[in-house]
Amino acid sequence: MVRYTPKLPEKNVNVTPRSHIRELFVLLSGLIAIVVVVYFLLGLVVDQLVPYVPPSFEKKIGSVYLRQIEGIDKKDPRQPVLQAMVDDMTEKCVDLPYDVEVIVVNDQLVNAFALPGGKIVVFDGLLKAVESENELAFILGHELGHFVNKDHLRGLGRALVGLSISLTLLGTDSHLNDMLGSSLNLNRLRFSQQQEGKADIVGINSLQCRYGHVKGATDFFEGLEASSSFRQLRHYFATHPAESKRIDDIEEYRIKQGFEKKALQQLPSVFGTPDSTSTE
Amino acid sequence: MMEAIGPLLNLIIFLLLVSVGYFAGTLAEKRHYQSIQKREAAWLRIPAVSARFDEKLPQASGGEMVYGSAVISIDYFKRILAGLRIIFGGRVTAYESLIDRARREAILRMKENAGPNTDIILNVRIETSSIGNSANGGSVGSIEALAYGTAIRTSQNG
């Protein structure tokens, strides 16, 4: 007969004595490391595949984004001027397998971007801020450079890779997916410093090709001090190390290539006079 | 800039939930274990054994089925930690303490259900099930442990 002697267990074998916080950090950093590696590798795959994306497919992607843009002004008198400049540049200076269309958007953003499928979106705010045709031509040439390098497709491809990873890991119902999904929004798509630099080179080359000199190339970043309404922004551009490096790189390239600086071309009258008496 | 606020807010809420889950969950667990240990010592006198007794128990004045069940919920922190375990595998240590607490609490409640006049609880079984699954994820909401057995009383104890 077994005699029952009641006693409490000395230690609890069913619960592992382990710091849960530490476990969380170990697992989380492992996961992040894997995600970063996969994202990087798939990014390289995207870079390899991008040259094979046909222009027709690119156009399809572009039209999806185009529908989301509000305030497109088809009757803007500056549009035909911009279009003529771009047509001229794509004909003589920049080699692209498709025609590029310029779209003017009535918005005070000082920005322009390249949509997949050969659309350059230019905001009214930018058109008001530029002071010479050369400066404008550089910005348009820069955007054409993004088309040449297919940067928008690379950016989209990477954003898609990021979203796919997060969907796989977290399922469809997750805050992180909303965050990554919004990175597919072209307004928020950021190109790398290297991509911007390459596009700048295309921009400066098309300036040289169109005007025979490259004065005005860096005006967008540095030369707009006269007008005060965009001072905050310009201050940002001028002091931001990445932007001042871009100016230096453009200048270095100019000297290396022996491009000259001559007189600036006035903007056509439809652009109005540059706003230099703002009180803001 | 404005578009970033929504996702950022979501992230802040998420981190808040995780830390609330951790601190509240840890506190609740600590207090529960204190209570369990105190009551286990108090009820130690009554054995609860899994053995079946086929022979007659001549001194027994009565036997009845007694049971106790406890439901313990996971917290947000444990959910995240277990979610990471789903990817890497290994022991889900975050859930171990939940099951342990539920089992011990269920046995204690079974003993409380039997009452202090009980001599022994025979044929004790413990069952575990997960209840309150969230509708979308199929993840564990909370776990229930049910302990049941036959309480035997002898005539001396009445």
Side-chain angles (χ1 to χ4, degrees):
Chain A
M1 187 70 196
V2 182
R3 178 135 187 95
Y4 177 79
T5 36
K7 67 175 187 358
L8 286 169
E10 276 160 29
K11 67 182 182 104
N12 191 347
V13 292
N14 290 320
V15 177
T16 314
R18 184 188 284 179
S19 161
H20 286 159
I21 289 273
R22 191 166 160 256
E23 191 182 346
L24 183 79
F25 278 109
V26 168
L27 293 183
L28 211 56
S29 37
L31 182 68
I32 289 169
I34 290 170
V35 165
V36 166
V37 168
V38 169
Y39 180 77
F40 181 75
L41 290 178
L42 282 179
L44 291 182
V45 173
V46 166
D47 282 348
Q48 296 302 308
L49 290 178
V50 150
Y52 300 103
V53 174
S56 58
F57 183 66
E58 221 176 294
K59 225 174 180 113
K60 241 182 229 171
I61 303 173
S63 64
V64 173
Y65 284 109
L66 202 58
R67 262 180 260 139
Q68 296 171 1
I69 299 174
E70 285 172 25
I72 294 175
D73 193 350
K74 284 188 176 153
K75 288 181 188 138
D76 194 292
R78 296 165 296 188
Q79 197 274 338
V81 180
L82 294 167
Q83 187 65 54
M85 284 172 77
V86 165
D87 287 347
D88 186 56
M89 282 194 274
T90 47
E91 200 178 307
K92 295 177 192 155
C93 312
V94 184
D95 185 32
L96 277 173
Y98 45 78
D99 289 334
V100 174
E101 191 189 334
V102 181
I103 291 157
V104 177
V105 173
N106 196 7
D107 193 305
Q108 291 314 303
L109 276 175
V110 184
N111 198 6
F113 57 80
L115 272 184
K119 314 257 190 231
I120 295 179
V121 176
V122 186
F123 291 103
D124 180 54
L126 179 108
L127 292 176
K128 280 188 180 141
V130 293
E131 285 171 2
S132 71
E133 195 183 303
N134 308 61
E135 189 183 341
L136 192 58
F138 175 78
I139 292 163
L140 293 173
H142 172 94
E143 299 307 331
L144 289 175
H146 283 311
F147 285 131
V148 172
N149 300 326
K150 303 209 172 201
D151 289 335
H152 44 276
L153 288 183
R154 284 173 218 273
L156 279 180
R158 282 209 161 74
L160 271 176
V161 165
L163 190 62
S164 315
I165 292 174
S166 124
L167 279 171
T168 314
L169 285 179
L170 304 166
T172 50
D173 184 41
S174 158
H175 301 318
L176 194 61
N177 289 333
D178 300 340
M179 227 150 85
L180 290 171
S182 67
S183 72
L184 277 172
N185 183 333
L186 219 79
N187 276 320
R188 303 189 51 210
L189 210 60
R190 296 278 175 271
F191 297 130
S192 73
Q193 212 55 51
Q194 208 185 352
Q195 287 174 322
E196 294 293 1
K198 276 186 178 174
D200 283 342
I201 299 299
V202 176
I204 195 169
N205 280 336
S206 43
L207 261 194
Q208 172 70 17
C209 158
R210 186 171 150 89
Y211 298 100
H213 69 94
V214 296
K215 190 163 168 58
T218 53
D219 284 3
F220 181 55
F221 308 124
E222 62 181 10
L224 295 162
E225 229 71 49
S227 152
S228 61
S229 56
F230 298 105
R231 182 165 287 163
Q232 286 298 325
L233 191 82
R234 259 165 236 142
H235 179 72
Y236 172 81
F237 275 132
T239 54
H240 203 260
E243 295 301 335
S244 63
K245 187 178 179 300
R246 273 174 76 178
I247 296 171
D248 292 346
D249 288 350
I250 291 170
E251 188 63 16
E252 195 183 305
Y253 182 80
R254 183 190 74 83
I255 292 163
K256 214 172 93 185
Q257 297 291 318
F259 292 164
E260 289 177 73
K261 282 183 176 179
K262 289 177 188 162
L264 288 172
Q265 198 118 355
Q266 283 293 307
L267 280 168
S269 55
V270 282
F271 283 80
T273 48
D275 170 28
S276 57
T277 52
S278 177
T279 51
E280 274 180 82
Chain B
M1 198 58 194
M2 286 304 284
E3 303 129 45
I5 287 175
L8 194 69
L9 202 68
N10 281 338
L11 188 71
I12 290 169
I13 290 171
F14 172 77
L15 291 176
L16 209 68
L17 281 174
V18 170
S19 30
V20 165
Y22 179 73
F23 289 111
T26 308
L27 185 70
E29 188 160 295
K30 202 176 145 199
R31 290 167 76 164
H32 191 200
Y33 266 127
Q34 279 170 357
S35 152
I36 286 174
Q37 273 159 1
K38 209 172 111 196
R39 282 148 67 219
E40 271 180 352
W43 287 95
L44 194 60
R45 193 180 55 76
I46 300 176
V49 296
S50 61
R52 279 177 64 192
F53 277 66
D54 288 334
E55 62 267 33
K56 292 204 166 90
L57 298 164
Q59 295 132 328
S61 65
E64 61 168 323
M65 181 180 167
V66 287
Y67 52 87
S69 92
V71 179
I72 313 282
S73 171
I74 66 165
D75 55 57
Y76 207 83
F77 174 82
K78 286 192 166 70
R79 185 196 293 273
I80 298 301
L81 195 51
L84 285 168
R85 272 285 169 227
I86 289 170
I87 297 166
F88 291 102
R91 284 176 293 170
V92 188
T93 54
Y95 284 176
E96 284 177 352
S97 61
L98 292 181
I99 314 258
D100 184 59
R101 279 160 65 197
R103 258 193 318 253
R104 288 164 76 174
E105 179 70 36
I107 288 180
L108 278 170
R109 286 181 182 181
M110 179 185 70
K111 287 185 176 180
E112 281 159 12
N113 181 228
N117 293 333
T118 307
D119 287 282
I120 189 167
I121 303 173
L122 299 175
N123 213 358
V124 172
R125 300 287 180 265
I126 302 173
E127 288 178 10
T128 313
S129 59
S130 81
I131 60 173
N133 284 359
S134 59
N136 49 5
S139 55
V140 179
S142 40
I143 66 127
E144 185 210 20
L146 167 70
Y148 58 91
T150 309
I152 305 294
R153 289 181 196 112
T154 55
S155 41
Q156 291 111 318
N157 279 329

